[in-house]
Amino acid sequence: MTLHSWSQLALTRDILVCLTEEGRGDEAADALAYALSLAGMTGAHLTVQSAARRLTVVAGRSWGIVQDLVADENRRLRSLAQALAERSVSDAASAGVTCAAEAPMLAYPDLIARLTARARLADLTILDAEAREADLDRDLIDGVLFRSGRPVIVVPPGWNGFHAHRVVIAWDGSAQAVRAANDALPFLRAAEAVEIVSVVGEKDLSTSVAGSEFAPHLARHGVNVSVNVLPVVGDVTETLRTQIGLFRADMLVMGAYRHSRLQEWFLGGVTQSLLSRSPVPLFLAH
């Protein structure tokens, strides 16, 4: 990256990474490696929340046996979370990154509330995209995205270092798309190339702001931007995945939508599908 690029990324001064230990064992988190890489590049302070959900049990028949089993599992989860917090500090020190780490263990709603509140204190939160749809991971993404007022980067499995030379913006002209693009400006200005991609044919975009109208705004901020309007092939998600590969993108920037849980998981269909299987890290904002 050029000196100009470094100066843009240096605007990100405070990074939070939230890790959950449910079912993970002691394997390394991709989000942590990604966050360490980004913090090392920008000189940002890194805060790690290595979280564990405290399990509880309602009294009843076989109370004593169940209580012992739950206590054992809570000790195991606490130990895993604490070990990851300690390893985070050690890895950060080796990378020359200033880091503070905590291993909170709270009941489910309290834990989500705590991590969401911590996200409000950072420029950016980095999370793992879990292949398994554990409740804690789903609700953590939901809470941070929709209740922190801050952007999120969700890191897919195997993506263990930051680079964003080429970035795609998923564009539908919505307020969420605008918010995501503006929140991502430090990354867009630092990128070698940025492409605004609109997928037409599935959703009526006739009353939306066109990508070609938004591109001059980004160009005035020093972004090397182009615009691509694509017909939908299969569905919007698959069209975006294909274009990400063709553009050789390192990041996808998009706005996040929230729907009723009766309709879908908790996010709009495209966002949900990409969280389940994205080829690159997702920069999301609401």
Side-chain angles (χ1 to χ4, degrees), residues 74-236:
N74 280 335
R75 281 191 290 270
R76 185 186 74 86
L77 291 173
R78 182 187 293 277
S79 177
L80 289 172
Q82 186 62 45
L84 184 53
E86 292 171 0
R87 188 166 73 230
S88 300
V89 173
S90 176
D91 290 349
S94 298
V97 172
T98 303
C99 175
E102 297 178 311
M105 187 173 199
L106 298 167
Y108 186 78
D110 296 329
L111 189 59
I112 296 297
R114 176 195 174 100
L115 297 179
T116 300
R118 290 295 188 273
R120 296 176 187 140
L121 307 177
D123 295 316
L124 174 70
T125 297
I126 298 178
L127 304 169
D128 275 311
E130 297 295 340
R132 54 186 169 70
E133 295 182 358
D135 288 343
L136 181 56
D137 297 306
R138 288 204 309 262
D139 287 342
L140 178 55
I141 294 172
D142 178 67
V144 174
L145 258 179
F146 297 108
R147 295 194 295 277
S148 76
R150 298 294 195 177
V152 175
I153 294 180
V154 182
V155 182
W159 199 284
N160 56 11
F162 170 80
H163 46 98
H165 304 293
R166 301 176 67 83
V167 179
V168 165
I169 301 173
W171 184 260
D172 63 1
S174 65
Q176 289 85 354
V178 171
R179 173 68 180 270
N182 259 39
D183 282 354
L185 268 175
F187 298 94
L188 302 181
R189 285 193 288 240
E192 296 170 1
V194 174
E195 184 175 69
I196 298 174
V197 175
S198 295
V199 180
V200 298
E202 185 174 284
K203 178 179 178 181
D204 182 11
L205 301 179
S206 60
T207 61
S208 301
V209 176
S212 58
E213 295 179 291
F214 187 67
H217 167 73
L218 294 182
R220 293 182 193 111
H221 282 276
V223 178
N224 180 23
V225 62
S226 60
V227 180
N228 200 346
V229 180
L230 300 173
V232 65
V233 178
D235 60 27
V236 173

Side-chain angles (χ1 to χ4, degrees), residues 237-248:
T237 305
E238 284 307 314
T239 305
L240 283 172
R241 285 195 186 107
T242 299
Q243 187 58 24
I244 287 167
L246 291 173
F247 191 68
R248 306 190 311 281

Side-chain angles (χ1 to χ4, degrees), residues 1-8:
M1 287 189 173
T2 65
L3 180 61
H4 171 72
S5 299
W6 279 77
S7 67
Q8 298 304 324

